[in-house]
Amino acid sequence: MGKEETCPKVKNILLLDSEGKRVAVKYYSDDWPTNSAKEAFEKTVFTKTQKTNARTEAEIAMFENKVVIYKFIQDLHFFVTGGEEENEVILATVLQAFFDAVSLLLRGTVDKKEALENLDLILLCIDEVVDGGILLETDPNLIAEKVASHSMDSGAPLSEQTITQALATAREHLARSLLK
């Protein structure tokens, strides 16, 4: 255990489609220094988990000395990665919080089409669960509430936001998170 190892750390949160392509991803670790390294990791994780049936319960796997907790719904694959020393229960809690908050925000219709149409909400959701790799919140109702209040600040109801508005909201939030 090093100096900062007492606080659980998430290395990434991945939301991939049924072909292993990115829907929304966020990395909090230098373990993958380039975009191609990130994409290679995503491909490995997707390939090695796609034959499993992680639809009712989250599954746990080890890849490249990292713990990966994952769960699937419809055509979406949710992944949370931590270091090999990380507590699987905490990582599973992060995954479940993200999964449940997305389900609440998408009003139960959790599929790629809805996820892409509400990408700003999903990215905000990731930011409410984990910030800089540190776990912030695991209550899906609180996460969904915070995300909904952020998106209400942008004016238009979620369903009526144009792609341009959604991208502007996502850009604003990204800029704010980079300034922290």
Coordinates of all heavy atoms in Angstrom, one line a residue, residues 60-126:
I60 N -17.0 -10.3 -12.9 CA -15.6 -9.8 -12.5 C -14.6 -10.6 -13.4 O -14.7 -11.8 -13.5 CB -15.3 -10.0 -11.0 CG1 -16.3 -9.3 -10.2 CG2 -13.9 -9.6 -10.7 CD1 -16.2 -9.7 -8.7
A61 N -13.6 -9.8 -13.9 CA -12.5 -10.5 -14.6 C -11.2 -9.7 -14.4 O -11.3 -8.6 -13.9 CB -12.9 -10.5 -16.1
M62 N -10.1 -10.4 -14.7 CA -8.8 -9.8 -14.6 C -8.2 -9.6 -16.0 O -8.3 -10.6 -16.7 CB -7.9 -10.6 -13.7 CG -8.1 -10.6 -12.2 SD -7.7 -9.0 -11.4 CE -5.9 -9.0 -11.5
F63 N -7.8 -8.4 -16.3 CA -7.1 -8.2 -17.6 C -5.9 -7.3 -17.3 O -6.0 -6.3 -16.7 CB -8.0 -7.4 -18.6 CG -9.3 -8.1 -18.9 CD1 -10.5 -7.7 -18.4 CD2 -9.3 -9.3 -19.7 CE1 -11.7 -8.3 -18.7 CE2 -10.4 -9.9 -20.0 CZ -11.6 -9.5 -19.5
E64 N -4.8 -7.7 -17.9 CA -3.6 -6.9 -17.8 C -3.3 -6.3 -16.3 O -3.1 -5.2 -16.1 CB -3.7 -5.7 -18.8 CG -3.9 -6.1 -20.2 CD -4.2 -5.0 -21.1 OE1 -4.2 -3.8 -20.7 OE2 -4.6 -5.2 -22.3
N65 N -3.5 -7.2 -15.4 CA -3.3 -6.9 -13.9 C -4.3 -5.8 -13.5 O -4.0 -5.0 -12.6 CB -1.9 -6.4 -13.6 CG -0.9 -7.6 -13.9 OD1 -1.2 -8.7 -13.7 ND2 0.3 -7.2 -14.4
K66 N -5.5 -5.8 -14.0 CA -6.5 -4.9 -13.6 C -7.8 -5.7 -13.3 O -8.1 -6.6 -14.0 CB -6.8 -3.8 -14.7 CG -5.6 -2.9 -14.8 CD -5.6 -2.0 -16.0 CE -4.4 -1.3 -16.3 NZ -3.2 -2.1 -16.5
V67 N -8.6 -5.2 -12.4 CA -9.9 -5.8 -12.1 C -10.9 -5.1 -13.0 O -11.0 -3.8 -13.0 CB -10.3 -5.6 -10.6 CG1 -11.7 -6.2 -10.4 CG2 -9.2 -6.3 -9.7
V68 N -11.7 -5.8 -13.7 CA -12.7 -5.2 -14.6 C -14.1 -5.8 -14.1 O -14.2 -7.1 -14.1 CB -12.5 -5.5 -16.1 CG1 -13.6 -4.9 -16.9 CG2 -11.2 -5.0 -16.5
I69 N -15.0 -5.0 -13.8 CA -16.4 -5.4 -13.4 C -17.2 -4.9 -14.6 O -17.1 -3.8 -15.1 CB -16.8 -4.7 -12.1 CG1 -15.8 -4.7 -11.0 CG2 -18.2 -5.2 -11.7 CD1 -15.8 -6.0 -10.2
Y70 N -18.1 -5.8 -15.0 CA -18.9 -5.5 -16.2 C -20.3 -6.0 -16.1 O -20.6 -7.0 -15.4 CB -18.2 -5.9 -17.5 CG -17.9 -7.4 -17.5 CD1 -18.8 -8.3 -18.2 CD2 -16.8 -7.9 -16.9 CE1 -18.5 -9.6 -18.3 CE2 -16.5 -9.3 -17.0 CZ -17.4 -10.1 -17.6 OH -17.1 -11.5 -17.7
K71 N -21.2 -5.3 -16.9 CA -22.6 -5.7 -16.9 C -23.2 -5.3 -18.3 O -22.8 -4.2 -18.8 CB -23.4 -5.1 -15.8 CG -24.8 -5.5 -15.6 CD -25.4 -5.0 -14.3 CE -26.8 -5.6 -14.1 NZ -27.3 -5.2 -12.8
F72 N -24.1 -6.1 -18.8 CA -24.6 -5.7 -20.1 C -26.2 -5.5 -20.0 O -26.8 -6.1 -19.2 CB -24.4 -6.9 -21.1 CG -23.0 -7.4 -21.2 CD1 -22.8 -8.7 -21.6 CD2 -21.9 -6.5 -21.0 CE1 -21.5 -9.2 -21.7 CE2 -20.6 -7.0 -21.1 CZ -20.4 -8.3 -21.5
I73 N -26.7 -4.6 -20.8 CA -28.1 -4.5 -21.0 C -28.4 -4.1 -22.4 O -27.7 -3.2 -23.0 CB -28.7 -3.4 -20.0 CG1 -30.2 -3.3 -20.1 CG2 -28.1 -2.0 -20.2 CD1 -30.9 -2.5 -19.0
Q74 N -29.3 -4.7 -23.0 CA -29.7 -4.6 -24.5 C -28.4 -4.6 -25.3 O -27.6 -5.6 -25.2 CB -30.4 -3.2 -24.7 CG -31.6 -3.0 -23.8 CD -32.8 -3.9 -24.3 OE1 -32.7 -4.7 -25.1 NE2 -33.9 -3.7 -23.6
D75 N -28.1 -3.5 -26.0 CA -26.9 -3.5 -26.9 C -25.8 -2.7 -26.2 O -24.9 -2.2 -26.9 CB -27.2 -3.1 -28.3 CG -27.9 -1.7 -28.3 OD1 -28.2 -1.2 -27.2 OD2 -28.2 -1.3 -29.4
L76 N -25.8 -2.5 -24.9 CA -24.8 -1.7 -24.2 C -24.0 -2.6 -23.3 O -24.5 -3.4 -22.6 CB -25.4 -0.5 -23.5 CG -26.0 0.6 -24.3 CD1 -26.7 1.6 -23.5 CD2 -25.0 1.2 -25.2
H77 N -22.7 -2.3 -23.2 CA -21.8 -3.0 -22.3 C -21.1 -2.0 -21.4 O -20.4 -1.1 -21.8 CB -20.7 -3.8 -23.1 CG -21.3 -4.9 -24.0 ND1 -20.6 -6.0 -24.2 CD2 -22.4 -5.0 -24.7 CE1 -21.3 -6.8 -25.0 NE2 -22.4 -6.2 -25.3
F78 N -21.4 -2.1 -20.1 CA -20.9 -1.2 -19.1 C -19.6 -1.9 -18.4 O -19.7 -3.0 -18.0 CB -21.9 -1.0 -18.0 CG -23.1 -0.2 -18.4 CD1 -24.1 -0.8 -19.2 CD2 -23.3 1.1 -17.9 CE1 -25.2 0.0 -19.6 CE2 -24.4 1.8 -18.3 CZ -25.4 1.3 -19.1
F79 N -18.5 -1.1 -18.3 CA -17.3 -1.6 -17.6 C -16.8 -0.6 -16.7 O -16.8 0.6 -16.9 CB -16.2 -1.9 -18.7 CG -16.6 -2.9 -19.7 CD1 -17.2 -2.5 -20.9 CD2 -16.3 -4.2 -19.6 CE1 -17.5 -3.4 -21.9 CE2 -16.6 -5.2 -20.6 CZ -17.2 -4.7 -21.7
V80 N -16.3 -1.1 -15.5 CA -15.5 -0.3 -14.6 C -14.2 -1.0 -14.3 O -14.2 -2.2 -14.0 CB -16.3 0.0 -13.3 CG1 -15.4 0.7 -12.2 CG2 -17.5 0.8 -13.6
T81 N -13.1 -0.3 -14.4 CA -11.8 -0.9 -14.2 C -11.1 -0.3 -13.0 O -11.1 0.9 -12.8 CB -10.9 -0.7 -15.5 OG1 -11.6 -1.1 -16.6 CG2 -9.6 -1.4 -15.3
G82 N -10.4 -1.2 -12.2 CA -9.6 -0.7 -11.1 C -8.3 -1.5 -11.1 O -8.1 -2.5 -11.8
G83 N -7.3 -1.1 -10.3 CA -6.1 -1.8 -10.1 C -6.3 -3.1 -9.5 O -7.3 -3.4 -8.9
E84 N -5.3 -4.0 -9.6 CA -5.5 -5.4 -9.1 C -5.7 -5.4 -7.6 O -6.2 -6.4 -7.1 CB -4.3 -6.3 -9.6 CG -3.0 -5.9 -9.0 CD -1.8 -6.7 -9.6 OE1 -2.1 -7.9 -9.9 OE2 -0.7 -6.2 -9.7
E85 N -5.2 -4.4 -6.9 CA -5.3 -4.3 -5.4 C -6.7 -3.7 -5.0 O -7.0 -3.7 -3.9 CB -4.2 -3.5 -4.8 CG -4.3 -2.0 -5.1 CD -4.1 -1.5 -6.5 OE1 -3.5 -2.2 -7.3 OE2 -4.5 -0.4 -6.8
E86 N -7.5 -3.3 -6.0 CA -8.8 -2.6 -5.7 C -9.8 -3.6 -5.2 O -9.8 -4.8 -5.6 CB -9.3 -1.9 -6.9 CG -9.6 -0.5 -6.9 CD -8.9 0.4 -5.8 OE1 -9.4 0.4 -4.7 OE2 -7.9 1.0 -6.1
N87 N -10.7 -3.2 -4.3 CA -11.8 -4.0 -3.8 C -12.8 -4.2 -4.8 O -13.4 -3.2 -5.3 CB -12.3 -3.3 -2.5 CG -13.4 -4.0 -1.8 OD1 -14.2 -4.7 -2.5 ND2 -13.4 -3.9 -0.5
E88 N -13.1 -5.4 -5.2 CA -14.1 -5.7 -6.2 C -15.5 -5.2 -5.9 O -16.3 -4.8 -6.7 CB -14.2 -7.2 -6.5 CG -13.0 -7.8 -7.2 CD -12.0 -8.3 -6.2 OE1 -12.2 -8.1 -4.9 OE2 -11.0 -9.0 -6.6
V89 N -15.8 -5.3 -4.6 CA -17.2 -4.8 -4.1 C -17.3 -3.3 -4.4 O -18.4 -2.9 -4.8 CB -17.4 -5.2 -2.6 CG1 -18.7 -4.6 -2.1 CG2 -17.3 -6.7 -2.4
I90 N -16.3 -2.6 -4.1 CA -16.4 -1.1 -4.4 C -16.5 -0.8 -5.8 O -17.4 0.0 -6.3 CB -15.2 -0.4 -3.8 CG1 -15.3 -0.4 -2.2 CG2 -15.1 1.1 -4.2 CD1 -14.1 0.1 -1.5
L91 N -15.7 -1.5 -6.7 CA -15.8 -1.4 -8.1 C -17.2 -1.8 -8.6 O -17.8 -1.1 -9.5 CB -14.7 -2.1 -8.8 CG -13.3 -1.6 -8.6 CD1 -12.3 -2.6 -9.2 CD2 -13.1 -0.2 -9.1
A92 N -17.7 -2.8 -8.1 CA -19.1 -3.3 -8.4 C -20.1 -2.3 -8.1 O -21.1 -2.1 -8.8 CB -19.4 -4.7 -7.8
T93 N -19.9 -1.6 -6.9 CA -20.8 -0.5 -6.5 C -20.8 0.6 -7.4 O -21.8 1.2 -7.8 CB -20.5 -0.1 -5.0 OG1 -20.5 -1.2 -4.2 CG2 -21.4 0.9 -4.5
V94 N -19.6 1.0 -7.9 CA -19.5 2.1 -8.9 C -20.2 1.7 -10.2 O -21.0 2.5 -10.7 CB -18.0 2.3 -9.2 CG1 -17.8 3.3 -10.4 CG2 -17.2 2.9 -8.0
L95 N -20.0 0.5 -10.6 CA -20.7 0.0 -11.8 C -22.2 0.1 -11.7 O -22.9 0.6 -12.5 CB -20.2 -1.4 -12.2 CG -21.0 -2.0 -13.4 CD1 -20.4 -1.5 -14.7 CD2 -20.8 -3.5 -13.4
Q96 N -22.7 -0.5 -10.6 CA -24.1 -0.5 -10.3 C -24.7 0.9 -10.2 O -25.8 1.1 -10.8 CB -24.4 -1.3 -9.1 CG -25.9 -1.8 -9.0 CD -26.3 -2.7 -10.1 OE1 -25.6 -3.7 -10.5 NE2 -27.4 -2.4 -10.8
A97 N -24.0 1.8 -9.6 CA -24.5 3.2 -9.5 C -24.6 3.8 -10.8 O -25.6 4.5 -11.2 CB -23.5 4.0 -8.6
F98 N -23.5 3.7 -11.7 CA -23.5 4.2 -13.0 C -24.7 3.6 -13.8 O -25.5 4.3 -14.5 CB -22.2 4.0 -13.7 CG -22.1 4.4 -15.1 CD1 -22.5 5.6 -15.5 CD2 -21.5 3.6 -16.1 CE1 -22.4 6.0 -16.9 CE2 -21.4 4.0 -17.4 CZ -21.9 5.2 -17.8
F99 N -24.8 2.3 -13.8 CA -25.8 1.5 -14.5 C -27.2 2.0 -14.1 O -28.0 2.3 -15.0 CB -25.6 0.0 -14.2 CG -26.4 -0.9 -14.9 CD1 -26.0 -1.4 -16.2 CD2 -27.6 -1.4 -14.4 CE1 -26.8 -2.4 -16.8 CE2 -28.4 -2.3 -15.1 CZ -28.0 -2.8 -16.3
D100 N -27.5 2.0 -12.8 CA -28.8 2.4 -12.3 C -29.1 3.8 -12.6 O -30.3 4.2 -13.0 CB -28.9 2.1 -10.8 CG -29.0 0.6 -10.5 OD1 -29.2 -0.2 -11.4 OD2 -28.8 0.3 -9.3
A101 N -28.2 4.7 -12.5 CA -28.4 6.1 -12.8 C -28.7 6.3 -14.3 O -29.6 7.1 -14.6 CB -27.2 7.0 -12.4
V102 N -28.0 5.6 -15.1 CA -28.3 5.7 -16.6 C -29.7 5.2 -16.8 O -30.4 5.8 -17.6 CB -27.2 4.9 -17.4 CG1 -27.6 4.7 -18.8 CG2 -25.9 5.7 -17.4
S103 N -30.0 4.1 -16.2 CA -31.4 3.5 -16.4 C -32.5 4.5 -16.0 O -33.5 4.7 -16.6 CB -31.6 2.3 -15.5 OG -30.7 1.3 -16.0
L104 N -32.2 5.2 -14.8 CA -33.2 6.3 -14.4 C -33.3 7.4 -15.4 O -34.4 7.9 -15.8 CB -32.8 6.8 -13.0 CG -33.0 5.9 -11.8 CD1 -32.2 6.5 -10.6 CD2 -34.5 5.8 -11.5
L105 N -32.1 7.9 -15.8 CA -32.1 9.0 -16.7 C -32.7 8.7 -18.1 O -33.3 9.6 -18.7 CB -30.6 9.5 -16.9 CG -30.1 10.2 -15.7 CD1 -28.6 10.3 -15.7 CD2 -30.7 11.6 -15.5
L106 N -32.5 7.5 -18.5 CA -33.1 7.1 -19.8 C -34.5 6.5 -19.7 O -35.0 5.9 -20.6 CB -32.1 6.1 -20.6 CG -30.7 6.6 -20.9 CD1 -29.9 5.6 -21.6 CD2 -30.7 7.9 -21.6
R107 N -35.0 6.6 -18.5 CA -36.4 6.2 -18.2 C -36.6 4.7 -18.5 O -37.6 4.4 -19.1 CB -37.4 7.1 -18.8 CG -37.3 8.5 -18.3 CD -38.3 9.4 -19.0 NE -38.2 10.8 -18.6 CZ -37.3 11.6 -19.2 NH1 -36.5 11.2 -20.1 NH2 -37.2 12.9 -18.7
G108 N -35.6 3.9 -18.2 CA -35.7 2.5 -18.4 C -35.4 2.0 -19.8 O -35.3 0.8 -20.1
T109 N -35.3 2.9 -20.8 CA -35.0 2.5 -22.2 C -33.5 2.6 -22.4 O -33.0 3.6 -22.9 CB -35.7 3.4 -23.2 OG1 -37.1 3.4 -22.9 CG2 -35.6 2.8 -24.6
V110 N -32.8 1.6 -21.9 CA -31.3 1.6 -21.9 C -30.8 0.8 -23.2 O -30.8 -0.4 -23.1 CB -30.7 1.1 -20.6 CG1 -29.2 1.2 -20.7 CG2 -31.3 1.8 -19.4
D111 N -30.6 1.6 -24.2 CA -30.0 0.9 -25.4 C -29.1 2.0 -26.1 O -29.1 3.2 -25.7 CB -31.1 0.4 -26.4 CG -32.1 1.5 -26.9 OD1 -31.7 2.7 -26.9 OD2 -33.2 1.1 -27.2
K112 N -28.4 1.6 -27.1 CA -27.4 2.4 -27.8 C -28.1 3.7 -28.4 O -27.6 4.8 -28.2 CB -26.7 1.6 -28.9 CG -25.7 2.5 -29.6 CD -25.0 1.7 -30.7 CE -24.0 2.5 -31.5 NZ -23.4 1.8 -32.6
K113 N -29.2 3.5 -29.0 CA -29.9 4.7 -29.6 C -30.2 5.7 -28.6 O -29.9 6.9 -28.7 CB -31.2 4.2 -30.3 CG -32.0 5.3 -31.0 CD -33.2 4.7 -31.7 CE -34.1 5.8 -32.3 NZ -34.7 6.7 -31.3
E114 N -30.9 5.3 -27.5 CA -31.2 6.3 -26.4 C -29.9 6.9 -25.8 O -29.9 8.0 -25.4 CB -32.0 5.6 -25.3 CG -33.5 5.5 -25.5 CD -34.2 6.8 -25.6 OE1 -34.0 7.7 -24.8 OE2 -34.9 7.0 -26.6
A115 N -28.9 6.0 -25.6 CA -27.6 6.5 -25.0 C -27.0 7.6 -25.9 O -26.6 8.6 -25.3 CB -26.7 5.3 -24.8
L116 N -27.0 7.3 -27.2 CA -26.4 8.3 -28.1 C -27.2 9.6 -28.1 O -26.6 10.7 -28.2 CB -26.2 7.8 -29.5 CG -25.1 6.7 -29.6 CD1 -25.1 6.0 -30.9 CD2 -23.7 7.2 -29.2
E117 N -28.5 9.5 -28.1 CA -29.4 10.7 -28.1 C -29.2 11.5 -26.8 O -29.5 12.6 -26.7 CB -30.9 10.3 -28.3 CG -31.1 9.9 -29.7 CD -32.6 9.4 -29.9 OE1 -33.4 9.4 -28.9 OE2 -32.9 8.9 -31.0
N118 N -28.8 10.8 -25.7 CA -28.7 11.5 -24.4 C -27.2 11.4 -23.9 O -27.0 11.2 -22.7 CB -29.6 10.8 -23.4 CG -31.1 11.0 -23.7 OD1 -31.6 12.1 -23.5 ND2 -31.7 10.0 -24.3
L119 N -26.3 11.5 -24.8 CA -24.9 11.3 -24.5 C -24.4 12.3 -23.4 O -23.6 12.0 -22.5 CB -24.0 11.4 -25.7 CG -22.6 11.0 -25.6 CD1 -22.5 9.5 -25.1 CD2 -21.9 11.1 -26.9
D120 N -24.9 13.5 -23.5 CA -24.6 14.6 -22.5 C -24.9 14.1 -21.1 O -24.2 14.2 -20.1 CB -25.2 15.9 -22.8 CG -26.7 15.9 -22.9 OD1 -27.3 14.8 -23.2 OD2 -27.4 16.9 -22.5
L121 N -26.1 13.4 -21.0 CA -26.5 12.9 -19.6 C -25.6 11.8 -19.2 O -25.3 11.8 -18.0 CB -28.0 12.4 -19.7 CG -29.1 13.4 -20.1 CD1 -30.4 12.7 -20.0 CD2 -29.0 14.6 -19.1
I122 N -25.2 11.0 -20.1 CA -24.4 9.8 -19.7 C -23.0 10.3 -19.3 O -22.4 9.9 -18.3 CB -24.3 8.8 -20.8 CG1 -25.6 8.1 -20.9 CG2 -23.2 7.8 -20.6 CD1 -25.9 7.2 -22.0
L123 N -22.4 11.3 -20.0 CA -21.1 11.9 -19.6 C -21.2 12.6 -18.3 O -20.3 12.5 -17.4 CB -20.6 12.8 -20.7 CG -20.3 12.1 -22.0 CD1 -20.0 13.1 -23.2 CD2 -19.1 11.2 -21.8
L124 N -22.3 13.3 -18.1 CA -22.5 14.0 -16.8 C -22.6 12.9 -15.6 O -22.1 13.1 -14.5 CB -23.8 14.9 -16.8 CG -23.7 16.2 -17.5 CD1 -25.1 16.8 -17.7 CD2 -22.8 17.2 -16.8
C125 N -23.3 11.9 -16.0 CA -23.5 10.8 -15.0 C -22.2 10.2 -14.6 O -21.9 10.0 -13.4 CB -24.4 9.7 -15.7 SG -25.0 8.5 -14.6
I126 N -21.3 9.9 -15.5 CA -20.0 9.4 -15.2 C -19.3 10.4 -14.3 O -18.7 10.0 -13.3 CB -19.1 9.2 -16.5 CG1 -19.7 8.0 -17.3 CG2 -17.7 8.9 -16.2 CD1 -19.1 7.8 -18.7

